[in-house]
Amino acid sequence: MGKRLIPRFHLVLLLCLSLQPLLAQTASPAAAPATSTDTNTRIAKLEQQVADAKGSADNGWMLTSSALVLMMTGPGLALFYGGLVRKKNVLGTMMQSFALMAVVTVL
């Protein structure tokens, strides 16, 4: 009987500990509504961050890494799908994969 009681005790303890942050949030007083100047300040900071991101090399790196992933995915999917079909359909399946890779590149 004692062995079965211990896991239930741990379960109840874990449940109480997981509910503690939720209960602490509901017990705290409600936050005051944001003022319009606070909202305007936050919007101005966001617009500045967007402007900084436009001029950085982050966009170039994202385009380069996306192109590398696309070039890696094409042969990988072609070989994968080619291995799933019969011998006479391998070439057609691989060509479909490469054609779809070209369509995705244009999109």
Side-chain angles (χ1 to χ4, degrees):
M1 183 171 193
K3 290 182 181 182
R4 296 190 69 174
L5 184 63
I6 293 173
R8 289 181 187 163
F9 172 73
H10 287 293
L11 184 63
V12 170
L13 182 64
L14 183 64
L15 183 65
C16 290
L17 289 176
S18 63
L19 290 177
Q20 184 180 5
L22 182 64
L23 294 174
Q25 285 178 350
T26 57
S28 64
T35 61
S36 63
T37 56
D38 183 39
T39 305
N40 291 338
T41 306
R42 291 175 61 193
I43 290 174
K45 286 181 183 178
L46 259 163
E47 288 175 347
Q48 181 61 38
Q49 289 174 351
V50 169
D52 292 342
K54 285 181 183 177
S56 67
D58 292 339
N59 295 334
W61 173 247
M62 288 300 293
L63 287 171
T64 304
S65 59
S66 298
L68 289 172
V69 167
L70 182 66
M71 292 303 140
M72 174 187 69
T73 303
L77 281 178
L79 292 172
F80 175 71
Y81 288 135
L84 293 177
V85 296
R86 289 190 292 178
K87 189 176 180 179
K88 67 177 187 172
N89 297 329
V90 170
L91 186 60
T93 305
M94 291 178 82
M95 291 309 296
Q96 285 178 359
S97 294
F98 282 112
L100 286 174
M101 185 180 73
V103 169
V104 168
T105 303
V106 171
L107 289 177

